[in-house]
Amino acid sequence: MTALLAILAKIWPFLLAAGGVIFGMFRHQQAAKAEAQAKQREAEADAQVAQADVVQAKANQDATRAGADNAKVRRDEDAAVAGEPDADRVLHDEWGR
């Protein structure tokens, strides 16, 4: 038994160092895995932002087109109204005779 304790007394620093190395390797693997997961979540978030940007751009394009269509309708209506005789003038001409 004393021989075993004598051997352990001589090699305990090496056992402790080996344990530290093994612990460090596992911690490094955990950190690498956590970093990879974080990068994956970041990529997924970037993809969602890009998709939202595409939807927003399409909505803006549709709104611009609708605005242009409404402006054309308004110009056509204004032109049609401008071609009609003035109601006051028509009434004056009819009742003034």
Side-chain angles (χ1 to χ4, degrees), residues 89-97:
R89 187 175 46 86
V90 171
L91 288 174
H92 179 68
D93 289 348
E94 290 296 319
W95 289 94
R97 292 186 208 180

Side-chain angles (χ1 to χ4, degrees), residues 18-33:
V21 168
I22 292 171
F23 177 76
M25 288 174 27
F26 284 123
R27 291 297 292 168
H28 178 71
Q29 287 177 344
Q30 287 176 339
K33 182 179 177 183

Side-chain angles (χ1 to χ4, degrees), residues 65-78:
R65 185 176 298 118
D69 291 345
N70 289 339
K72 182 185 180 312
V73 168
R74 177 62 189 255
R75 281 191 309 270
D76 293 347
E77 289 174 352
D78 288 347

Side-chain angles (χ1 to χ4, degrees), residues 2-81:
T2 58
L4 182 60
L5 288 176
I7 293 171
L8 283 176
K10 289 182 181 181
I11 66 168
W12 76 268
F14 299 108
L15 293 176
L16 186 61
V21 168
I22 292 171
F23 177 76
M25 288 174 27
F26 284 123
R27 291 297 292 168
H28 178 71
Q29 287 177 344
Q30 287 176 339
K33 182 179 177 183
E35 184 179 358
Q37 289 172 342
K39 285 184 180 182
Q40 180 181 1
R41 286 192 298 270
E42 181 183 4
E44 290 169 356
D46 288 345
Q48 288 177 346
V49 168
Q51 185 178 10
D53 288 346
V54 168
V55 170
Q56 182 67 37
K58 175 72 171 123
N60 288 342
Q61 183 182 26
D62 292 345
T64 301
R65 185 176 298 118
D69 291 345
N70 289 339
K72 182 185 180 312
V73 168
R74 177 62 189 255
R75 281 191 309 270
D76 293 347
E77 289 174 352
D78 288 347
V81 168

